[in-house]
Amino acid sequence: MQLSKKAGNITPSITLAITAKANELKSQGVDVVSFGAGEPDFNTPENIIQAAIKAMYDGKTKYTPAGGLLELKTTICSKFKKDNNLDYKPNQIIISTGAKQCLANVFMATLNPGDEVLIPVPYWVSYPELVKLADGVPVFVETLKENNYKYTVADLEKALTSKTKALLLNSPNNPTGTIYHEEELLEIASFAKEHDLLIISDEIYEKLIYDGEKHISIAALNEDAYERTIVINGVSKTYAMTGWRLGYAAASESITKLMTSIQSHMTSNVNTIAQYAAIEALNGPIEDLNNMIKEFENRRNFMIYKLEKLNEISIIKPNGAFYIMVNISSYLNTTFKDQTINNSVDFAKVLLEEEKVAVIPGAGFGLDDYIRLSYATSMDIIETGIDRISTFLSKIK
Ligand SMILES: Cc1ncc(COP(=O)(O)O)c(C=O)c1O
């Protein structure tokens, strides 16, 4: 039987094999050090957990409107005003099952078959697949190392065609941790205006920024950018709430209406209890958040210090999120114990087998001469893991 061609065209996550192998080794009692985490290692703050418990005891256990509780939408509007100087009304907000579902909704609500979406390389793994699921075509925008892999208008122009419908922006970026500054955003916004493109701005790492950097939402630059931007955000990374599955998007009323209509048939509302928890997250005290950011910054600094001591390794210095991309090109096209190491997947596989360190191969993000290390893990693990990587490098070259 011919199953769905569209589903068959979806690339399974390249990171899955490494993660599965690392988990298998761990379950056998092997001391595996993992740099794979895509989520904070902190627990959700106590006040948020208490709000969820209270919601359940108060009987808030029923359906809500498909696009989310009005009270949460209003809270999100206040957040946009306070943090991003953006004015939205509740009917421009949709609450979805993670930022991931917001993105899926956006592509389904805006793309027609064959419409192209510009996606910068390196990219978060799900963007191209979500575009394909919505019958769109992902078009990769090659970026330059000297620009810290941020795209410029010149890069965008090379990928532009008459079918381009939207461009994707992710700042702070996963996997590089780089941040787009105001002058760069202004150029991107005027490019989008000139070619009448939608801007899909994934700002999920907005709060996780360091070195006194400032996050600017492209939607806040001017009226035109506001009209053509769909802002994606959520509570997963900021409030250590990845498992609660709650993201939100802000867009024009017409796009929000379409997204809500799609979601009403796909999943209905986000878990009601998680919605009450999110109200507390967005309105409650921010000490836990500030402590987490401080800790991430310390770990990032320590990881950079350790990585810079490694031979023939360079990094993309991150100002945000909790990842560091490490260039391993000097160690590719080598052989170790009869195994060839020609790309990031080989490197990650042999590193795991030999030194029991799990890293994410850059191939999954479109940068095959890099590996991604997450510092959402303890200082001890950072110390041990990078020492093991150092041992590995000296063995293979
Ligand atoms: C860039 C980016 N966008 C969106 C998401 C999805 O977040 P959520 O957990 O809210 O679905 C992630 C999660 O890893 C991410 O890295």
Side-chain angles (χ1 to χ4, degrees), residues 125-170:
V125 284
S126 292
Y127 295 142
E129 308 316 309
L130 291 173
V131 169
K132 287 195 267 176
L133 279 171
D135 293 328
V137 179
V139 173
F140 296 111
V141 181
E142 295 302 328
T143 57
L144 297 172
K145 191 174 181 199
E146 52 267 36
N147 291 340
N148 259 336
Y149 297 99
K150 291 193 273 186
Y151 57 49
T152 62
V153 165
D155 302 324
L156 288 168
E157 254 152 16
K158 283 187 209 143
L160 184 78
T161 75
S162 58
K163 293 191 182 143
T164 311
K165 179 76 162 275
L167 61 85
L168 215 136
L169 178 70
N170 175 214

mmCIF file of all heavy atoms in Angstrom, residues 125-170:
data_model
loop_
_atom_site.group_PDB
_atom_site.id
_atom_site.type_symbol
_atom_site.label_atom_id
_atom_site.label_comp_id
_atom_site.label_asym_id
_atom_site.label_seq_id
_atom_site.Cartn_x
_atom_site.Cartn_y
_atom_site.Cartn_z
ATOM 1 N N VAL A 125 16.192 22.181 13.464
ATOM 2 C CA VAL A 125 15.843 21.024 12.640
ATOM 3 C C VAL A 125 14.398 20.960 12.138
ATOM 4 O O VAL A 125 14.140 20.429 11.060
ATOM 5 C CB VAL A 125 16.129 19.684 13.371
ATOM 6 C CG1 VAL A 125 17.599 19.381 13.382
ATOM 7 C CG2 VAL A 125 15.586 19.685 14.787
ATOM 8 N N SER A 126 13.461 21.475 12.912
ATOM 9 C CA SER A 126 12.057 21.281 12.524
ATOM 10 C C SER A 126 11.567 22.252 11.449
ATOM 11 O O SER A 126 10.547 21.988 10.803
ATOM 12 C CB SER A 126 11.146 21.409 13.750
ATOM 13 O OG SER A 126 11.364 20.326 14.612
ATOM 14 N N TYR A 127 12.256 23.388 11.243
ATOM 15 C CA TYR A 127 11.718 24.365 10.275
ATOM 16 C C TYR A 127 11.467 23.759 8.894
ATOM 17 O O TYR A 127 10.358 23.867 8.362
ATOM 18 C CB TYR A 127 12.654 25.574 10.113
ATOM 19 C CG TYR A 127 12.851 26.453 11.327
ATOM 20 C CD1 TYR A 127 14.094 27.006 11.601
ATOM 21 C CD2 TYR A 127 11.790 26.780 12.171
ATOM 22 C CE1 TYR A 127 14.303 27.833 12.691
ATOM 23 C CE2 TYR A 127 11.986 27.610 13.268
ATOM 24 C CZ TYR A 127 13.248 28.136 13.529
ATOM 25 O OH TYR A 127 13.442 28.952 14.596
ATOM 26 N N PRO A 128 12.484 23.138 8.267
ATOM 27 C CA PRO A 128 12.235 22.662 6.905
ATOM 28 C C PRO A 128 11.132 21.604 6.845
ATOM 29 O O PRO A 128 10.321 21.607 5.916
ATOM 30 C CB PRO A 128 13.573 22.051 6.466
ATOM 31 C CG PRO A 128 14.535 22.246 7.572
ATOM 32 C CD PRO A 128 13.881 22.948 8.695
ATOM 33 N N GLU A 129 11.091 20.749 7.854
ATOM 34 C CA GLU A 129 10.095 19.664 7.823
ATOM 35 C C GLU A 129 8.678 20.220 8.010
ATOM 36 O O GLU A 129 7.728 19.747 7.389
ATOM 37 C CB GLU A 129 10.421 18.609 8.886
ATOM 38 C CG GLU A 129 11.850 18.078 8.848
ATOM 39 C CD GLU A 129 12.364 17.748 7.450
ATOM 40 O OE1 GLU A 129 11.665 17.017 6.727
ATOM 41 O OE2 GLU A 129 13.460 18.225 7.098
ATOM 42 N N LEU A 130 8.532 21.214 8.881
ATOM 43 C CA LEU A 130 7.202 21.812 9.084
ATOM 44 C C LEU A 130 6.729 22.531 7.819
ATOM 45 O O LEU A 130 5.539 22.508 7.487
ATOM 46 C CB LEU A 130 7.229 22.795 10.272
ATOM 47 C CG LEU A 130 7.401 22.156 11.651
ATOM 48 C CD1 LEU A 130 7.590 23.215 12.735
ATOM 49 C CD2 LEU A 130 6.197 21.278 11.999
ATOM 50 N N VAL A 131 7.661 23.168 7.117
ATOM 51 C CA VAL A 131 7.300 23.832 5.852
ATOM 52 C C VAL A 131 6.819 22.778 4.850
ATOM 53 O O VAL A 131 5.780 22.937 4.208
ATOM 54 C CB VAL A 131 8.507 24.624 5.292
ATOM 55 C CG1 VAL A 131 8.242 25.080 3.854
ATOM 56 C CG2 VAL A 131 8.826 25.820 6.179
ATOM 57 N N LYS A 132 7.547 21.662 4.771
ATOM 58 C CA LYS A 132 7.159 20.603 3.819
ATOM 59 C C LYS A 132 5.781 20.032 4.170
ATOM 60 O O LYS A 132 4.977 19.756 3.290
ATOM 61 C CB LYS A 132 8.208 19.476 3.818
ATOM 62 C CG LYS A 132 9.513 19.878 3.122
ATOM 63 C CD LYS A 132 10.374 18.656 2.821
ATOM 64 C CE LYS A 132 11.355 18.366 3.887
ATOM 65 N NZ LYS A 132 12.150 17.161 3.723
ATOM 66 N N LEU A 133 5.530 19.851 5.460
ATOM 67 C CA LEU A 133 4.231 19.298 5.877
ATOM 68 C C LEU A 133 3.073 20.213 5.461
ATOM 69 O O LEU A 133 1.951 19.772 5.311
ATOM 70 C CB LEU A 133 4.203 19.084 7.398
ATOM 71 C CG LEU A 133 4.879 17.798 7.883
ATOM 72 C CD1 LEU A 133 4.994 17.798 9.398
ATOM 73 C CD2 LEU A 133 4.091 16.565 7.422
ATOM 74 N N ALA A 134 3.390 21.518 5.323
ATOM 75 C CA ALA A 134 2.345 22.469 4.912
ATOM 76 C C ALA A 134 2.365 22.684 3.401
ATOM 77 O O ALA A 134 1.836 23.695 2.913
ATOM 78 C CB ALA A 134 2.546 23.784 5.654
ATOM 79 N N ASP A 135 2.997 21.762 2.664
ATOM 80 C CA ASP A 135 3.070 21.822 1.196
ATOM 81 C C ASP A 135 3.934 22.956 0.673
ATOM 82 O O ASP A 135 3.875 23.298 -0.508
ATOM 83 C CB ASP A 135 1.666 21.900 0.550
ATOM 84 C CG ASP A 135 0.893 20.619 0.760
ATOM 85 O OD1 ASP A 135 1.537 19.549 0.816
ATOM 86 O OD2 ASP A 135 -0.340 20.688 0.898
ATOM 87 N N GLY A 136 4.718 23.568 1.562
ATOM 88 C CA GLY A 136 5.643 24.617 1.121
ATOM 89 C C GLY A 136 6.991 24.010 0.760
ATOM 90 O O GLY A 136 7.210 22.801 0.880
ATOM 91 N N VAL A 137 7.879 24.876 0.302
ATOM 92 C CA VAL A 137 9.222 24.428 -0.097
ATOM 93 C C VAL A 137 10.254 25.201 0.733
ATOM 94 O O VAL A 137 10.302 26.432 0.655
ATOM 95 C CB VAL A 137 9.459 24.698 -1.601
ATOM 96 C CG1 VAL A 137 10.857 24.258 -2.022
ATOM 97 C CG2 VAL A 137 8.395 24.035 -2.452
ATOM 98 N N PRO A 138 11.035 24.476 1.549
ATOM 99 C CA PRO A 138 12.079 25.190 2.292
ATOM 100 C C PRO A 138 13.225 25.554 1.350
ATOM 101 O O PRO A 138 13.686 24.702 0.596
ATOM 102 C CB PRO A 138 12.547 24.164 3.335
ATOM 103 C CG PRO A 138 12.053 22.838 2.865
ATOM 104 C CD PRO A 138 10.985 23.045 1.839
ATOM 105 N N VAL A 139 13.651 26.797 1.390
ATOM 106 C CA VAL A 139 14.793 27.223 0.564
ATOM 107 C C VAL A 139 15.860 27.732 1.525
ATOM 108 O O VAL A 139 15.615 28.635 2.323
ATOM 109 C CB VAL A 139 14.373 28.344 -0.425
ATOM 110 C CG1 VAL A 139 15.592 28.900 -1.156
ATOM 111 C CG2 VAL A 139 13.353 27.796 -1.420
ATOM 112 N N PHE A 140 17.025 27.099 1.465
ATOM 113 C CA PHE A 140 18.055 27.421 2.451
ATOM 114 C C PHE A 140 18.864 28.642 2.033
ATOM 115 O O PHE A 140 19.253 28.769 0.876
ATOM 116 C CB PHE A 140 18.965 26.208 2.673
ATOM 117 C CG PHE A 140 18.213 25.046 3.265
ATOM 118 C CD1 PHE A 140 17.976 23.894 2.535
ATOM 119 C CD2 PHE A 140 17.695 25.151 4.543
ATOM 120 C CE1 PHE A 140 17.248 22.843 3.074
ATOM 121 C CE2 PHE A 140 16.961 24.103 5.091
ATOM 122 C CZ PHE A 140 16.735 22.959 4.363
ATOM 123 N N VAL A 141 19.083 29.513 2.998
ATOM 124 C CA VAL A 141 19.876 30.712 2.758
ATOM 125 C C VAL A 141 21.259 30.452 3.345
ATOM 126 O O VAL A 141 21.405 30.282 4.562
ATOM 127 C CB VAL A 141 19.239 31.942 3.460
ATOM 128 C CG1 VAL A 141 20.058 33.201 3.192
ATOM 129 C CG2 VAL A 141 17.799 32.110 3.029
ATOM 130 N N GLU A 142 22.254 30.392 2.468
ATOM 131 C CA GLU A 142 23.618 30.149 2.953
ATOM 132 C C GLU A 142 24.141 31.411 3.631
ATOM 133 O O GLU A 142 23.952 32.515 3.118
ATOM 134 C CB GLU A 142 24.536 29.743 1.793
ATOM 135 C CG GLU A 142 24.163 28.409 1.144
ATOM 136 C CD GLU A 142 24.150 27.226 2.118
ATOM 137 O OE1 GLU A 142 24.939 27.226 3.089
ATOM 138 O OE2 GLU A 142 23.334 26.302 1.918
ATOM 139 N N THR A 143 24.781 31.230 4.765
ATOM 140 C CA THR A 143 25.295 32.386 5.513
ATOM 141 C C THR A 143 26.811 32.245 5.637
ATOM 142 O O THR A 143 27.360 31.167 5.398
ATOM 143 C CB THR A 143 24.662 32.426 6.911
ATOM 144 O OG1 THR A 143 24.945 31.171 7.549
ATOM 145 C CG2 THR A 143 23.165 32.635 6.851
ATOM 146 N N LEU A 144 27.458 33.328 6.031
ATOM 147 C CA LEU A 144 28.924 33.314 6.050
ATOM 148 C C LEU A 144 29.467 33.217 7.466
ATOM 149 O O LEU A 144 28.918 33.822 8.400
ATOM 150 C CB LEU A 144 29.464 34.592 5.403
ATOM 151 C CG LEU A 144 29.116 34.781 3.916
ATOM 152 C CD1 LEU A 144 29.547 36.169 3.443
ATOM 153 C CD2 LEU A 144 29.781 33.694 3.076
ATOM 154 N N LYS A 145 30.591 32.504 7.567
ATOM 155 C CA LYS A 145 31.246 32.364 8.869
ATOM 156 C C LYS A 145 31.633 33.738 9.422
ATOM 157 O O LYS A 145 31.454 34.035 10.602
ATOM 158 C CB LYS A 145 32.489 31.492 8.691
ATOM 159 C CG LYS A 145 33.109 31.062 9.983
ATOM 160 C CD LYS A 145 34.240 30.084 9.755
ATOM 161 C CE LYS A 145 34.808 29.659 11.099
ATOM 162 N NZ LYS A 145 36.117 29.089 11.000
ATOM 163 N N GLU A 146 32.138 34.607 8.515
ATOM 164 C CA GLU A 146 32.582 35.922 8.995
ATOM 165 C C GLU A 146 31.418 36.780 9.502
ATOM 166 O O GLU A 146 31.627 37.757 10.205
ATOM 167 C CB GLU A 146 33.425 36.674 7.959
ATOM 168 C CG GLU A 146 32.824 36.816 6.577
ATOM 169 C CD GLU A 146 33.267 35.689 5.640
ATOM 170 O OE1 GLU A 146 33.412 34.538 6.110
ATOM 171 O OE2 GLU A 146 33.450 35.970 4.440
ATOM 172 N N ASN A 147 30.188 36.424 9.139
ATOM 173 C CA ASN A 147 29.013 37.124 9.699
ATOM 174 C C ASN A 147 28.420 36.344 10.860
ATOM 175 O O ASN A 147 27.252 36.537 11.204
ATOM 176 C CB ASN A 147 27.930 37.295 8.630
ATOM 177 C CG ASN A 147 28.333 38.269 7.551
ATOM 178 O OD1 ASN A 147 29.228 39.083 7.756
ATOM 179 N ND2 ASN A 147 27.707 38.169 6.405
ATOM 180 N N ASN A 148 29.203 35.449 11.409
ATOM 181 C CA ASN A 148 28.708 34.611 12.503
ATOM 182 C C ASN A 148 27.466 33.824 12.102
ATOM 183 O O ASN A 148 26.581 33.579 12.914
ATOM 184 C CB ASN A 148 28.376 35.467 13.728
ATOM 185 C CG ASN A 148 29.480 35.392 14.748
ATOM 186 O OD1 ASN A 148 30.233 34.416 14.759
ATOM 187 N ND2 ASN A 148 29.581 36.397 15.584
ATOM 188 N N TYR A 149 27.392 33.480 10.823
ATOM 189 C CA TYR A 149 26.279 32.702 10.274
ATOM 190 C C TYR A 149 24.932 33.403 10.425
ATOM 191 O O TYR A 149 23.887 32.760 10.464
ATOM 192 C CB TYR A 149 26.236 31.291 10.876
ATOM 193 C CG TYR A 149 27.478 30.496 10.546
ATOM 194 C CD1 TYR A 149 28.518 30.382 11.464
ATOM 195 C CD2 TYR A 149 27.637 29.887 9.314
ATOM 196 C CE1 TYR A 149 29.682 29.673 11.158
ATOM 197 C CE2 TYR A 149 28.782 29.187 8.996
ATOM 198 C CZ TYR A 149 29.797 29.078 9.919
ATOM 199 O OH TYR A 149 30.931 28.381 9.615
ATOM 200 N N LYS A 150 24.966 34.732 10.468
ATOM 201 C CA LYS A 150 23.692 35.479 10.409
ATOM 202 C C LYS A 150 23.489 35.880 8.950
ATOM 203 O O LYS A 150 24.442 36.231 8.272
ATOM 204 C CB LYS A 150 23.770 36.744 11.265
ATOM 205 C CG LYS A 150 23.839 36.457 12.736
ATOM 206 C CD LYS A 150 23.605 37.718 13.565
ATOM 207 C CE LYS A 150 24.853 38.506 13.815
ATOM 208 N NZ LYS A 150 24.656 39.640 14.722
ATOM 209 N N TYR A 151 22.257 35.837 8.450
ATOM 210 C CA TYR A 151 22.098 36.219 7.046
ATOM 211 C C TYR A 151 22.041 37.731 6.882
ATOM 212 O O TYR A 151 21.645 38.465 7.783
ATOM 213 C CB TYR A 151 20.931 35.516 6.353
ATOM 214 C CG TYR A 151 19.533 35.652 6.914
ATOM 215 C CD1 TYR A 151 18.975 36.876 7.248
ATOM 216 C CD2 TYR A 151 18.727 34.519 7.033
ATOM 217 C CE1 TYR A 151 17.671 36.979 7.709
ATOM 218 C CE2 TYR A 151 17.424 34.599 7.491
ATOM 219 C CZ TYR A 151 16.911 35.842 7.826
ATOM 220 O OH TYR A 151 15.631 35.939 8.283
ATOM 221 N N THR A 152 22.465 38.151 5.680
ATOM 222 C CA THR A 152 22.376 39.557 5.300
ATOM 223 C C THR A 152 21.417 39.629 4.118
ATOM 224 O O THR A 152 21.028 38.590 3.559
ATOM 225 C CB THR A 152 23.750 40.076 4.831
ATOM 226 O OG1 THR A 152 24.116 39.313 3.671
ATOM 227 C CG2 THR A 152 24.816 39.926 5.904
ATOM 228 N N VAL A 153 21.088 40.845 3.711
ATOM 229 C CA VAL A 153 20.190 40.997 2.568
ATOM 230 C C VAL A 153 20.827 40.388 1.315
ATOM 231 O O VAL A 153 20.143 39.766 0.502
ATOM 232 C CB VAL A 153 19.836 42.489 2.380
ATOM 233 C CG1 VAL A 153 19.219 42.742 1.022
ATOM 234 C CG2 VAL A 153 18.873 42.908 3.489
ATOM 235 N N ALA A 154 22.152 40.502 1.198
ATOM 236 C CA ALA A 154 22.828 39.906 0.026
ATOM 237 C C ALA A 154 22.607 38.386 0.016
ATOM 238 O O ALA A 154 22.344 37.789 -1.041
ATOM 239 C CB ALA A 154 24.318 40.226 0.074
ATOM 240 N N ASP A 155 22.686 37.750 1.178
ATOM 241 C CA ASP A 155 22.440 36.294 1.252
ATOM 242 C C ASP A 155 20.987 35.978 0.886
ATOM 243 O O ASP A 155 20.705 35.013 0.170
ATOM 244 C CB ASP A 155 22.695 35.753 2.671
ATOM 245 C CG ASP A 155 24.120 36.033 3.146
ATOM 246 O OD1 ASP A 155 25.039 35.973 2.310
ATOM 247 O OD2 ASP A 155 24.298 36.314 4.351
ATOM 248 N N LEU A 156 20.070 36.789 1.392
ATOM 249 C CA LEU A 156 18.646 36.547 1.130
ATOM 250 C C LEU A 156 18.344 36.696 -0.354
ATOM 251 O O LEU A 156 17.586 35.916 -0.932
ATOM 252 C CB LEU A 156 17.786 37.535 1.928
ATOM 253 C CG LEU A 156 17.728 37.307 3.445
ATOM 254 C CD1 LEU A 156 17.105 38.498 4.157
ATOM 255 C CD2 LEU A 156 16.926 36.043 3.763
ATOM 256 N N GLU A 157 18.962 37.718 -0.966
ATOM 257 C CA GLU A 157 18.697 37.973 -2.387
ATOM 258 C C GLU A 157 19.049 36.765 -3.256
ATOM 259 O O GLU A 157 18.347 36.462 -4.219
ATOM 260 C CB GLU A 157 19.449 39.211 -2.858
ATOM 261 C CG GLU A 157 18.482 40.371 -3.032
ATOM 262 C CD GLU A 157 19.124 41.728 -2.846
ATOM 263 O OE1 GLU A 157 20.371 41.813 -2.879
ATOM 264 O OE2 GLU A 157 18.355 42.692 -2.647
ATOM 265 N N LYS A 158 20.130 36.083 -2.882
ATOM 266 C CA LYS A 158 20.554 34.926 -3.686
ATOM 267 C C LYS A 158 19.499 33.815 -3.664
ATOM 268 O O LYS A 158 19.420 33.018 -4.583
ATOM 269 C CB LYS A 158 21.873 34.372 -3.143
ATOM 270 C CG LYS A 158 23.058 35.226 -3.550
ATOM 271 C CD LYS A 158 24.358 34.549 -3.128
ATOM 272 C CE LYS A 158 25.396 35.610 -2.860
ATOM 273 N NZ LYS A 158 26.285 35.332 -1.771
ATOM 274 N N ALA A 159 18.744 33.728 -2.586
ATOM 275 C CA ALA A 159 17.771 32.627 -2.453
ATOM 276 C C ALA A 159 16.361 33.031 -2.881
ATOM 277 O O ALA A 159 15.468 32.191 -2.970
ATOM 278 C CB ALA A 159 17.755 32.166 -0.995
ATOM 279 N N LEU A 160 16.180 34.317 -3.158
ATOM 280 C CA LEU A 160 14.846 34.834 -3.490
ATOM 281 C C LEU A 160 14.398 34.381 -4.878
ATOM 282 O O LEU A 160 15.182 34.394 -5.817
ATOM 283 C CB LEU A 160 14.916 36.370 -3.457
ATOM 284 C CG LEU A 160 13.620 37.130 -3.673
ATOM 285 C CD1 LEU A 160 12.780 37.108 -2.396
ATOM 286 C CD2 LEU A 160 13.920 38.571 -4.081
ATOM 287 N N THR A 161 13.123 33.970 -5.010
ATOM 288 C CA THR A 161 12.554 33.679 -6.339
ATOM 289 C C THR A 161 11.158 34.297 -6.383
ATOM 290 O O THR A 161 10.679 34.847 -5.384
ATOM 291 C CB THR A 161 12.416 32.156 -6.606
ATOM 292 O OG1 THR A 161 11.302 31.671 -5.839
ATOM 293 C CG2 THR A 161 13.663 31.373 -6.263
ATOM 294 N N SER A 162 10.498 34.128 -7.508
ATOM 295 C CA SER A 162 9.139 34.688 -7.614
ATOM 296 C C SER A 162 8.162 33.918 -6.711
ATOM 297 O O SER A 162 7.041 34.354 -6.480
ATOM 298 C CB SER A 162 8.675 34.615 -9.067
ATOM 299 O OG SER A 162 8.718 33.268 -9.468
ATOM 300 N N LYS A 163 8.608 32.763 -6.209
ATOM 301 C CA LYS A 163 7.706 31.961 -5.360
ATOM 302 C C LYS A 163 7.931 32.207 -3.869
ATOM 303 O O LYS A 163 7.264 31.591 -3.028
ATOM 304 C CB LYS A 163 7.916 30.478 -5.650
ATOM 305 C CG LYS A 163 7.477 30.090 -7.040
ATOM 306 C CD LYS A 163 7.469 28.588 -7.151
ATOM 307 C CE LYS A 163 7.080 28.164 -8.551
ATOM 308 N NZ LYS A 163 7.810 26.985 -8.982
ATOM 309 N N THR A 164 8.908 33.034 -3.526
ATOM 310 C CA THR A 164 9.190 33.245 -2.098
ATOM 311 C C THR A 164 7.989 33.913 -1.426
ATOM 312 O O THR A 164 7.511 34.947 -1.888
ATOM 313 C CB THR A 164 10.447 34.122 -1.907
ATOM 314 O OG1 THR A 164 11.489 33.608 -2.729
ATOM 315 C CG2 THR A 164 10.873 34.136 -0.460
ATOM 316 N N LYS A 165 7.558 33.309 -0.327
ATOM 317 C CA LYS A 165 6.370 33.828 0.372
ATOM 318 C C LYS A 165 6.739 34.416 1.734
ATOM 319 O O LYS A 165 6.103 35.344 2.206
ATOM 320 C CB LYS A 165 5.392 32.661 0.569
ATOM 321 C CG LYS A 165 4.101 32.953 1.298
ATOM 322 C CD LYS A 165 3.129 33.686 0.383
ATOM 323 C CE LYS A 165 1.690 33.635 0.845
ATOM 324 N NZ LYS A 165 0.969 32.443 0.414
ATOM 325 N N ALA A 166 7.760 33.812 2.360
ATOM 326 C CA ALA A 166 8.061 34.196 3.745
ATOM 327 C C ALA A 166 9.540 33.995 4.035
ATOM 328 O O ALA A 166 10.215 33.233 3.341
ATOM 329 C CB ALA A 166 7.236 33.326 4.700
ATOM 330 N N LEU A 167 10.022 34.696 5.049
ATOM 331 C CA LEU A 167 11.379 34.403 5.526
ATOM 332 C C LEU A 167 11.329 34.117 7.008
ATOM 333 O O LEU A 167 10.507 34.671 7.748
ATOM 334 C CB LEU A 167 12.360 35.521 5.188
ATOM 335 C CG LEU A 167 12.182 36.918 5.723
ATOM 336 C CD1 LEU A 167 12.778 37.058 7.113
ATOM 337 C CD2 LEU A 167 12.900 37.888 4.772
ATOM 338 N N LEU A 168 12.197 33.226 7.401
ATOM 339 C CA LEU A 168 12.254 32.831 8.790
ATOM 340 C C LEU A 168 13.423 33.502 9.489
ATOM 341 O O LEU A 168 14.519 33.580 8.922
ATOM 342 C CB LEU A 168 12.440 31.319 8.847
ATOM 343 C CG LEU A 168 11.705 30.734 10.024
ATOM 344 C CD1 LEU A 168 10.983 29.509 9.616
ATOM 345 C CD2 LEU A 168 12.626 30.465 11.162
ATOM 346 N N LEU A 169 13.159 34.010 10.662
ATOM 347 C CA LEU A 169 14.202 34.672 11.438
ATOM 348 C C LEU A 169 14.196 34.027 12.819
ATOM 349 O O LEU A 169 13.127 33.812 13.385
ATOM 350 C CB LEU A 169 13.851 36.160 11.543
ATOM 351 C CG LEU A 169 14.763 37.054 12.347
ATOM 352 C CD1 LEU A 169 16.102 37.231 11.635
ATOM 353 C CD2 LEU A 169 14.117 38.435 12.527
ATOM 354 N N ASN A 170 15.382 33.708 13.329
ATOM 355 C CA ASN A 170 15.444 33.076 14.657
ATOM 356 C C ASN A 170 16.561 33.746 15.453
ATOM 357 O O ASN A 170 17.723 33.464 15.269
ATOM 358 C CB ASN A 170 15.703 31.573 14.491
ATOM 359 C CG ASN A 170 15.902 30.834 15.803
ATOM 360 O OD1 ASN A 170 16.673 29.884 15.888
ATOM 361 N ND2 ASN A 170 15.224 31.261 16.841
#
